[in-house]
Amino acid sequence: MGDGAKAHSVYEDAVEYLCRNVEELRPLIPSAVWESAFPAVRDADPAGAEWRNAVRALHDAVEAAGVPNGLGLPATMGVGDWPGAPTPQSVGWVCPTSRCGRVELRAGTATATPACDLAGGPMRLVDG
């Protein structure tokens, strides 16, 4: 993803998602990744490569921990890499039409079904 306004907005959305769900996501991120990446996300210039690389590192760690689509960044592909459908390994709510790239984590069993703003209907529960 390039350095344009849309790319920057996607990264800002990923950080906002991280902050909104930090209590659920922090335990999934290895300490070494958190301790190196989070200070850069918090303190580095959002226009710089250091900030974007730190956001990407947190995204990759969350995705590796089983949260489908991590923090919502688009996949980076190398030669011969083809994206496959993610295999959910965590519990959360996903867009019923797959228009949203992220899950809303479920904070306990009594959580009411959230609504998807894009689809205009209830989200679908993924129970990994």
Side-chain angles (χ1 to χ4, degrees), residues 33-62:
V33 174
W34 180 264
E35 290 168 10
S36 66
F38 188 75
V41 170
R42 184 188 61 220
D43 301 329
D45 178 7
E50 177 188 13
W51 184 80
R52 285 191 309 276
N53 291 340
V55 175
R56 175 64 68 180
L58 292 170
H59 163 82
D60 290 345
V62 169

PDB file of all heavy atoms in Angstrom, residues 33-62:
ATOM      1  N   VAL A  33       7.297  -7.991  20.475  1.00  0.00           N
ATOM      2  CA  VAL A  33       6.675  -7.203  19.405  1.00  0.00           C
ATOM      3  C   VAL A  33       6.011  -5.974  20.016  1.00  0.00           C
ATOM      4  O   VAL A  33       6.174  -4.853  19.512  1.00  0.00           O
ATOM      5  CB  VAL A  33       5.654  -8.043  18.607  1.00  0.00           C
ATOM      6  CG1 VAL A  33       4.912  -7.193  17.600  1.00  0.00           C
ATOM      7  CG2 VAL A  33       6.341  -9.216  17.920  1.00  0.00           C
ATOM      8  N   TRP A  34       5.255  -6.156  21.078  1.00  0.00           N
ATOM      9  CA  TRP A  34       4.557  -5.050  21.721  1.00  0.00           C
ATOM     10  C   TRP A  34       5.536  -3.976  22.187  1.00  0.00           C
ATOM     11  O   TRP A  34       5.347  -2.795  21.931  1.00  0.00           O
ATOM     12  CB  TRP A  34       3.728  -5.560  22.900  1.00  0.00           C
ATOM     13  CG  TRP A  34       2.987  -4.472  23.605  1.00  0.00           C
ATOM     14  CD1 TRP A  34       3.371  -3.801  24.729  1.00  0.00           C
ATOM     15  CD2 TRP A  34       1.731  -3.894  23.223  1.00  0.00           C
ATOM     16  NE1 TRP A  34       2.428  -2.860  25.076  1.00  0.00           N
ATOM     17  CE2 TRP A  34       1.418  -2.900  24.172  1.00  0.00           C
ATOM     18  CE3 TRP A  34       0.849  -4.146  22.184  1.00  0.00           C
ATOM     19  CZ2 TRP A  34       0.250  -2.145  24.105  1.00  0.00           C
ATOM     20  CZ3 TRP A  34      -0.321  -3.397  22.110  1.00  0.00           C
ATOM     21  CH2 TRP A  34      -0.606  -2.409  23.063  1.00  0.00           C
ATOM     22  N   GLU A  35       6.604  -4.395  22.864  1.00  0.00           N
ATOM     23  CA  GLU A  35       7.555  -3.450  23.441  1.00  0.00           C
ATOM     24  C   GLU A  35       8.353  -2.686  22.387  1.00  0.00           C
ATOM     25  O   GLU A  35       8.810  -1.578  22.642  1.00  0.00           O
ATOM     26  CB  GLU A  35       8.485  -4.173  24.414  1.00  0.00           C
ATOM     27  CG  GLU A  35       7.737  -4.617  25.672  1.00  0.00           C
ATOM     28  CD  GLU A  35       8.521  -5.590  26.532  1.00  0.00           C
ATOM     29  OE1 GLU A  35       9.721  -5.812  26.281  1.00  0.00           O
ATOM     30  OE2 GLU A  35       7.914  -6.151  27.465  1.00  0.00           O
ATOM     31  N   SER A  36       8.504  -3.264  21.197  1.00  0.00           N
ATOM     32  CA  SER A  36       9.222  -2.540  20.144  1.00  0.00           C
ATOM     33  C   SER A  36       8.272  -1.734  19.252  1.00  0.00           C
ATOM     34  O   SER A  36       8.610  -0.626  18.836  1.00  0.00           O
ATOM     35  CB  SER A  36      10.047  -3.503  19.288  1.00  0.00           C
ATOM     36  OG  SER A  36       9.199  -4.378  18.571  1.00  0.00           O
ATOM     37  N   ALA A  37       7.094  -2.271  18.997  1.00  0.00           N
ATOM     38  CA  ALA A  37       6.196  -1.628  18.034  1.00  0.00           C
ATOM     39  C   ALA A  37       5.269  -0.596  18.669  1.00  0.00           C
ATOM     40  O   ALA A  37       5.051   0.474  18.088  1.00  0.00           O
ATOM     41  CB  ALA A  37       5.370  -2.679  17.294  1.00  0.00           C
ATOM     42  N   PHE A  38       4.708  -0.889  19.827  1.00  0.00           N
ATOM     43  CA  PHE A  38       3.721   0.032  20.385  1.00  0.00           C
ATOM     44  C   PHE A  38       4.287   1.423  20.670  1.00  0.00           C
ATOM     45  O   PHE A  38       3.638   2.417  20.352  1.00  0.00           O
ATOM     46  CB  PHE A  38       3.031  -0.546  21.616  1.00  0.00           C
ATOM     47  CG  PHE A  38       1.894   0.317  22.083  1.00  0.00           C
ATOM     48  CD1 PHE A  38       0.687   0.325  21.386  1.00  0.00           C
ATOM     49  CD2 PHE A  38       2.025   1.154  23.180  1.00  0.00           C
ATOM     50  CE1 PHE A  38      -0.366   1.145  21.783  1.00  0.00           C
ATOM     51  CE2 PHE A  38       0.980   1.973  23.586  1.00  0.00           C
ATOM     52  CZ  PHE A  38      -0.217   1.962  22.889  1.00  0.00           C
ATOM     53  N   PRO A  39       5.506   1.554  21.256  1.00  0.00           N
ATOM     54  CA  PRO A  39       6.041   2.909  21.457  1.00  0.00           C
ATOM     55  C   PRO A  39       6.185   3.683  20.144  1.00  0.00           C
ATOM     56  O   PRO A  39       5.956   4.899  20.115  1.00  0.00           O
ATOM     57  CB  PRO A  39       7.405   2.665  22.120  1.00  0.00           C
ATOM     58  CG  PRO A  39       7.244   1.347  22.805  1.00  0.00           C
ATOM     59  CD  PRO A  39       6.352   0.543  21.892  1.00  0.00           C
ATOM     60  N   ALA A  40       6.527   2.995  19.065  1.00  0.00           N
ATOM     61  CA  ALA A  40       6.639   3.677  17.770  1.00  0.00           C
ATOM     62  C   ALA A  40       5.270   4.119  17.274  1.00  0.00           C
ATOM     63  O   ALA A  40       5.120   5.214  16.731  1.00  0.00           O
ATOM     64  CB  ALA A  40       7.312   2.769  16.745  1.00  0.00           C
ATOM     65  N   VAL A  41       4.262   3.275  17.473  1.00  0.00           N
ATOM     66  CA  VAL A  41       2.900   3.649  17.065  1.00  0.00           C
ATOM     67  C   VAL A  41       2.432   4.852  17.879  1.00  0.00           C
ATOM     68  O   VAL A  41       1.815   5.769  17.357  1.00  0.00           O
ATOM     69  CB  VAL A  41       1.931   2.459  17.227  1.00  0.00           C
ATOM     70  CG1 VAL A  41       0.486   2.894  17.057  1.00  0.00           C
ATOM     71  CG2 VAL A  41       2.266   1.365  16.230  1.00  0.00           C
ATOM     72  N   ARG A  42       2.760   4.859  19.157  1.00  0.00           N
ATOM     73  CA  ARG A  42       2.334   5.927  20.049  1.00  0.00           C
ATOM     74  C   ARG A  42       3.100   7.231  19.801  1.00  0.00           C
ATOM     75  O   ARG A  42       2.513   8.307  19.835  1.00  0.00           O
ATOM     76  CB  ARG A  42       2.533   5.476  21.498  1.00  0.00           C
ATOM     77  CG  ARG A  42       2.049   6.458  22.546  1.00  0.00           C
ATOM     78  CD  ARG A  42       2.462   6.037  23.935  1.00  0.00           C
ATOM     79  NE  ARG A  42       3.923   5.986  24.006  1.00  0.00           N
ATOM     80  CZ  ARG A  42       4.611   5.039  24.660  1.00  0.00           C
ATOM     81  NH1 ARG A  42       3.995   4.073  25.277  1.00  0.00           N
ATOM     82  NH2 ARG A  42       5.922   5.079  24.662  1.00  0.00           N
ATOM     83  N   ASP A  43       4.426   7.147  19.525  1.00  0.00           N
ATOM     84  CA  ASP A  43       5.264   8.341  19.533  1.00  0.00           C
ATOM     85  C   ASP A  43       5.828   8.769  18.180  1.00  0.00           C
ATOM     86  O   ASP A  43       6.213   9.922  18.026  1.00  0.00           O
ATOM     87  CB  ASP A  43       6.454   8.136  20.488  1.00  0.00           C
ATOM     88  CG  ASP A  43       5.995   7.843  21.915  1.00  0.00           C
ATOM     89  OD1 ASP A  43       4.921   8.341  22.312  1.00  0.00           O
ATOM     90  OD2 ASP A  43       6.707   7.110  22.620  1.00  0.00           O
ATOM     91  N   ALA A  44       5.927   7.866  17.223  1.00  0.00           N
ATOM     92  CA  ALA A  44       6.566   8.213  15.945  1.00  0.00           C
ATOM     93  C   ALA A  44       5.645   9.070  15.084  1.00  0.00           C
ATOM     94  O   ALA A  44       4.430   9.130  15.306  1.00  0.00           O
ATOM     95  CB  ALA A  44       6.961   6.944  15.185  1.00  0.00           C
ATOM     96  N   ASP A  45       6.222   9.696  14.099  1.00  0.00           N
ATOM     97  CA  ASP A  45       5.477  10.532  13.151  1.00  0.00           C
ATOM     98  C   ASP A  45       4.596   9.645  12.278  1.00  0.00           C
ATOM     99  O   ASP A  45       5.108   8.770  11.575  1.00  0.00           O
ATOM    100  CB  ASP A  45       6.477  11.307  12.290  1.00  0.00           C
ATOM    101  CG  ASP A  45       5.802  12.173  11.237  1.00  0.00           C
ATOM    102  OD1 ASP A  45       4.551  12.291  11.254  1.00  0.00           O
ATOM    103  OD2 ASP A  45       6.532  12.736  10.404  1.00  0.00           O
ATOM    104  N   PRO A  46       3.278   9.841  12.318  1.00  0.00           N
ATOM    105  CA  PRO A  46       2.382   9.001  11.510  1.00  0.00           C
ATOM    106  C   PRO A  46       2.626   9.087  10.005  1.00  0.00           C
ATOM    107  O   PRO A  46       2.132   8.250   9.265  1.00  0.00           O
ATOM    108  CB  PRO A  46       0.987   9.516  11.863  1.00  0.00           C
ATOM    109  CG  PRO A  46       1.147  10.166  13.181  1.00  0.00           C
ATOM    110  CD  PRO A  46       2.536  10.734  13.198  1.00  0.00           C
ATOM    111  N   ALA A  47       3.399  10.066   9.570  1.00  0.00           N
ATOM    112  CA  ALA A  47       3.708  10.162   8.144  1.00  0.00           C
ATOM    113  C   ALA A  47       4.951   9.357   7.780  1.00  0.00           C
ATOM    114  O   ALA A  47       5.272   9.229   6.604  1.00  0.00           O
ATOM    115  CB  ALA A  47       3.914  11.628   7.749  1.00  0.00           C
ATOM    116  N   GLY A  48       5.630   8.785   8.784  1.00  0.00           N
ATOM    117  CA  GLY A  48       6.895   8.114   8.530  1.00  0.00           C
ATOM    118  C   GLY A  48       6.797   6.606   8.405  1.00  0.00           C
ATOM    119  O   GLY A  48       5.826   5.978   8.832  1.00  0.00           O
ATOM    120  N   ALA A  49       7.836   6.033   7.828  1.00  0.00           N
ATOM    121  CA  ALA A  49       7.904   4.590   7.620  1.00  0.00           C
ATOM    122  C   ALA A  49       7.984   3.834   8.949  1.00  0.00           C
ATOM    123  O   ALA A  49       7.443   2.733   9.071  1.00  0.00           O
ATOM    124  CB  ALA A  49       9.094   4.244   6.740  1.00  0.00           C
ATOM    125  N   GLU A  50       8.649   4.406   9.948  1.00  0.00           N
ATOM    126  CA  GLU A  50       8.767   3.730  11.249  1.00  0.00           C
ATOM    127  C   GLU A  50       7.379   3.466  11.837  1.00  0.00           C
ATOM    128  O   GLU A  50       7.099   2.372  12.347  1.00  0.00           O
ATOM    129  CB  GLU A  50       9.595   4.582  12.213  1.00  0.00           C
ATOM    130  CG  GLU A  50       9.698   3.967  13.604  1.00  0.00           C
ATOM    131  CD  GLU A  50      10.355   4.869  14.632  1.00  0.00           C
ATOM    132  OE1 GLU A  50      10.537   6.083  14.371  1.00  0.00           O
ATOM    133  OE2 GLU A  50      10.671   4.357  15.723  1.00  0.00           O
ATOM    134  N   TRP A  51       6.494   4.460  11.761  1.00  0.00           N
ATOM    135  CA  TRP A  51       5.133   4.317  12.292  1.00  0.00           C
ATOM    136  C   TRP A  51       4.359   3.247  11.530  1.00  0.00           C
ATOM    137  O   TRP A  51       3.759   2.362  12.128  1.00  0.00           O
ATOM    138  CB  TRP A  51       4.428   5.669  12.213  1.00  0.00           C
ATOM    139  CG  TRP A  51       3.052   5.692  12.817  1.00  0.00           C
ATOM    140  CD1 TRP A  51       2.749   5.792  14.136  1.00  0.00           C
ATOM    141  CD2 TRP A  51       1.806   5.622  12.125  1.00  0.00           C
ATOM    142  NE1 TRP A  51       1.379   5.788  14.305  1.00  0.00           N
ATOM    143  CE2 TRP A  51       0.778   5.684  13.092  1.00  0.00           C
ATOM    144  CE3 TRP A  51       1.462   5.519  10.781  1.00  0.00           C
ATOM    145  CZ2 TRP A  51      -0.559   5.650  12.753  1.00  0.00           C
ATOM    146  CZ3 TRP A  51       0.109   5.478  10.444  1.00  0.00           C
ATOM    147  CH2 TRP A  51      -0.891   5.531  11.423  1.00  0.00           C
ATOM    148  N   ARG A  52       4.417   3.320  10.192  1.00  0.00           N
ATOM    149  CA  ARG A  52       3.701   2.320   9.384  1.00  0.00           C
ATOM    150  C   ARG A  52       4.236   0.915   9.630  1.00  0.00           C
ATOM    151  O   ARG A  52       3.465  -0.035   9.729  1.00  0.00           O
ATOM    152  CB  ARG A  52       3.789   2.668   7.896  1.00  0.00           C
ATOM    153  CG  ARG A  52       2.893   3.830   7.492  1.00  0.00           C
ATOM    154  CD  ARG A  52       2.800   3.990   5.985  1.00  0.00           C
ATOM    155  NE  ARG A  52       4.080   4.026   5.312  1.00  0.00           N
ATOM    156  CZ  ARG A  52       4.849   5.111   5.171  1.00  0.00           C
ATOM    157  NH1 ARG A  52       4.438   6.262   5.668  1.00  0.00           N
ATOM    158  NH2 ARG A  52       5.995   5.046   4.554  1.00  0.00           N
ATOM    159  N   ASN A  53       5.558   0.771   9.736  1.00  0.00           N
ATOM    160  CA  ASN A  53       6.149  -0.551   9.985  1.00  0.00           C
ATOM    161  C   ASN A  53       5.733  -1.090  11.346  1.00  0.00           C
ATOM    162  O   ASN A  53       5.492  -2.296  11.500  1.00  0.00           O
ATOM    163  CB  ASN A  53       7.673  -0.486   9.876  1.00  0.00           C
ATOM    164  CG  ASN A  53       8.135  -0.246   8.451  1.00  0.00           C
ATOM    165  OD1 ASN A  53       7.411  -0.480   7.492  1.00  0.00           O
ATOM    166  ND2 ASN A  53       9.353   0.245   8.310  1.00  0.00           N
ATOM    167  N   ALA A  54       5.634  -0.224  12.337  1.00  0.00           N
ATOM    168  CA  ALA A  54       5.206  -0.655  13.668  1.00  0.00           C
ATOM    169  C   ALA A  54       3.744  -1.089  13.659  1.00  0.00           C
ATOM    170  O   ALA A  54       3.382  -2.099  14.267  1.00  0.00           O
ATOM    171  CB  ALA A  54       5.432   0.467  14.678  1.00  0.00           C
ATOM    172  N   VAL A  55       2.899  -0.335  12.969  1.00  0.00           N
ATOM    173  CA  VAL A  55       1.489  -0.728  12.847  1.00  0.00           C
ATOM    174  C   VAL A  55       1.389  -2.082  12.148  1.00  0.00           C
ATOM    175  O   VAL A  55       0.647  -2.965  12.577  1.00  0.00           O
ATOM    176  CB  VAL A  55       0.664   0.345  12.096  1.00  0.00           C
ATOM    177  CG1 VAL A  55      -0.769  -0.132  11.870  1.00  0.00           C
ATOM    178  CG2 VAL A  55       0.659   1.663  12.858  1.00  0.00           C
ATOM    179  N   ARG A  56       2.168  -2.264  11.087  1.00  0.00           N
ATOM    180  CA  ARG A  56       2.164  -3.538  10.347  1.00  0.00           C
ATOM    181  C   ARG A  56       2.623  -4.680  11.249  1.00  0.00           C
ATOM    182  O   ARG A  56       2.056  -5.776  11.209  1.00  0.00           O
ATOM    183  CB  ARG A  56       3.054  -3.420   9.108  1.00  0.00           C
ATOM    184  CG  ARG A  56       3.230  -4.698   8.313  1.00  0.00           C
ATOM    185  CD  ARG A  56       2.002  -5.270   7.686  1.00  0.00           C
ATOM    186  NE  ARG A  56       1.472  -4.444   6.619  1.00  0.00           N
ATOM    187  CZ  ARG A  56       0.386  -4.756   5.933  1.00  0.00           C
ATOM    188  NH1 ARG A  56      -0.282  -5.866   6.189  1.00  0.00           N
ATOM    189  NH2 ARG A  56      -0.068  -3.968   5.010  1.00  0.00           N
ATOM    190  N   ALA A  57       3.647  -4.454  12.091  1.00  0.00           N
ATOM    191  CA  ALA A  57       4.136  -5.503  12.989  1.00  0.00           C
ATOM    192  C   ALA A  57       3.055  -5.918  13.986  1.00  0.00           C
ATOM    193  O   ALA A  57       2.865  -7.117  14.242  1.00  0.00           O
ATOM    194  CB  ALA A  57       5.387  -5.018  13.729  1.00  0.00           C
ATOM    195  N   LEU A  58       2.329  -4.953  14.535  1.00  0.00           N
ATOM    196  CA  LEU A  58       1.235  -5.273  15.454  1.00  0.00           C
ATOM    197  C   LEU A  58       0.114  -6.002  14.725  1.00  0.00           C
ATOM    198  O   LEU A  58      -0.460  -6.973  15.237  1.00  0.00           O
ATOM    199  CB  LEU A  58       0.724  -4.003  16.133  1.00  0.00           C
ATOM    200  CG  LEU A  58       1.709  -3.352  17.116  1.00  0.00           C
ATOM    201  CD1 LEU A  58       1.207  -1.980  17.538  1.00  0.00           C
ATOM    202  CD2 LEU A  58       1.931  -4.244  18.333  1.00  0.00           C
ATOM    203  N   HIS A  59      -0.214  -5.556  13.525  1.00  0.00           N
ATOM    204  CA  HIS A  59      -1.231  -6.209  12.704  1.00  0.00           C
ATOM    205  C   HIS A  59      -0.851  -7.674  12.470  1.00  0.00           C
ATOM    206  O   HIS A  59      -1.661  -8.577  12.661  1.00  0.00           O
ATOM    207  CB  HIS A  59      -1.369  -5.473  11.368  1.00  0.00           C
ATOM    208  CG  HIS A  59      -2.069  -6.266  10.314  1.00  0.00           C
ATOM    209  ND1 HIS A  59      -3.441  -6.353  10.233  1.00  0.00           N
ATOM    210  CD2 HIS A  59      -1.572  -7.024   9.299  1.00  0.00           C
ATOM    211  CE1 HIS A  59      -3.762  -7.133   9.208  1.00  0.00           C
ATOM    212  NE2 HIS A  59      -2.651  -7.542   8.629  1.00  0.00           N
ATOM    213  N   ASP A  60       0.409  -7.900  12.057  1.00  0.00           N
ATOM    214  CA  ASP A  60       0.864  -9.265  11.771  1.00  0.00           C
ATOM    215  C   ASP A  60       0.799 -10.145  13.012  1.00  0.00           C
ATOM    216  O   ASP A  60       0.413 -11.316  12.934  1.00  0.00           O
ATOM    217  CB  ASP A  60       2.286  -9.243  11.209  1.00  0.00           C
ATOM    218  CG  ASP A  60       2.361  -8.649   9.803  1.00  0.00           C
ATOM    219  OD1 ASP A  60       1.310  -8.510   9.133  1.00  0.00           O
ATOM    220  OD2 ASP A  60       3.486  -8.316   9.375  1.00  0.00           O
ATOM    221  N   ALA A  61       1.160  -9.583  14.174  1.00  0.00           N
ATOM    222  CA  ALA A  61       1.126 -10.351  15.416  1.00  0.00           C
ATOM    223  C   ALA A  61      -0.301 -10.727  15.795  1.00  0.00           C
ATOM    224  O   ALA A  61      -0.567 -11.861  16.212  1.00  0.00           O
ATOM    225  CB  ALA A  61       1.785  -9.560  16.546  1.00  0.00           C
ATOM    226  N   VAL A  62      -1.217  -9.793  15.645  1.00  0.00           N
ATOM    227  CA  VAL A  62      -2.622 -10.067  15.967  1.00  0.00           C
ATOM    228  C   VAL A  62      -3.193 -11.108  15.006  1.00  0.00           C
ATOM    229  O   VAL A  62      -3.896 -12.036  15.415  1.00  0.00           O
ATOM    230  CB  VAL A  62      -3.450  -8.759  15.945  1.00  0.00           C
ATOM    231  CG1 VAL A  62      -4.939  -9.037  16.015  1.00  0.00           C
ATOM    232  CG2 VAL A  62      -3.029  -7.853  17.092  1.00  0.00           C
TER     233      VAL A  62
END
